[in-house]
Each structure stands twice: as structure tokens, then as C-alpha cells.
Amino acid sequence: MVLYRKQEPDGPAARLGLAISKKHARRSVDRNRIKRVAREAFRVRRQGLPPVDIIVLSRAGIAGAEPAELRAELDRLLENLK
């Protein structure tokens, strides 16, 4: 799940926050993998994003998702912010 809030028009560049809980991804390996994928998806698209604060929240079943699935979903969600 991705939440976002627009900043002032002349505000700083887009920023990313991550909230990946132990409740949804028990192993630290899974939590760190999710964070790596989210940061990379954000890094690639950051220049094209408007000035927004983005928060990525974990939901049930996220730990079992493949990295390619996560990346595709994050890319889709970030594309919708334009």
C-alpha cells in the first residue's frame, strides 16, 4: 500500500518513507528485501515525480511476494502519482 501527500509547489524533491512491520514480514531478511526493492523503484523514478511525501506500508502476504512482483507493483503505483 502506498500513501502520499503533496508538498508545496516549490517544496523539496519527492521523499520516501518505509513502514514494513514484523507483523507482515516476520524475518528481517524479508523486511530488508522489501525495503531494497522499494528504495530502488523510488530511486529510478524520483526525478519524474512531483514534490510529494510517499509512504510504503506493508500488508499481509507481502513477505511471500517475489522481488519482480514487488517492483512491478511499486512501479505501477508510482506511475499513478504523475
Side-chain angles (χ1 to χ4, degrees), residues 17-47:
L18 300 168
I20 312 302
S21 69
K22 279 187 177 181
K23 182 177 181 181
H24 298 121
R26 294 293 298 163
R27 298 182 327 159
S28 62
V29 172
D30 295 331
R31 289 192 305 276
N32 291 333
R33 177 178 48 85
I34 294 163
K35 290 178 197 178
R36 271 196 312 275
V37 171
R39 284 186 194 116
E40 178 63 14
F42 178 74
R43 185 191 66 78
V44 169
R45 294 193 174 271
R46 185 175 191 176
Q47 295 300 327

Side-chain angles (χ1 to χ4, degrees), residues 2-75:
V2 173
L3 302 174
Y4 71 96
R5 181 180 64 99
K6 294 186 180 205
Q7 299 174 3
E8 297 295 321
D10 57 344
R15 298 184 296 183
L16 177 68
L18 300 168
I20 312 302
S21 69
K22 279 187 177 181
K23 182 177 181 181
H24 298 121
R26 294 293 298 163
R27 298 182 327 159
S28 62
V29 172
D30 295 331
R31 289 192 305 276
N32 291 333
R33 177 178 48 85
I34 294 163
K35 290 178 197 178
R36 271 196 312 275
V37 171
R39 284 186 194 116
E40 178 63 14
F42 178 74
R43 185 191 66 78
V44 169
R45 294 193 174 271
R46 185 175 191 176
Q47 295 300 327
L49 292 173
V52 293
D53 292 329
I54 301 168
I55 301 173
V56 177
L57 299 172
S58 63
R59 292 291 182 226
I62 196 167
E66 293 293 322
E69 282 180 81
L70 289 173
R71 178 64 187 267
E73 183 66 17
L74 286 167
D75 283 342

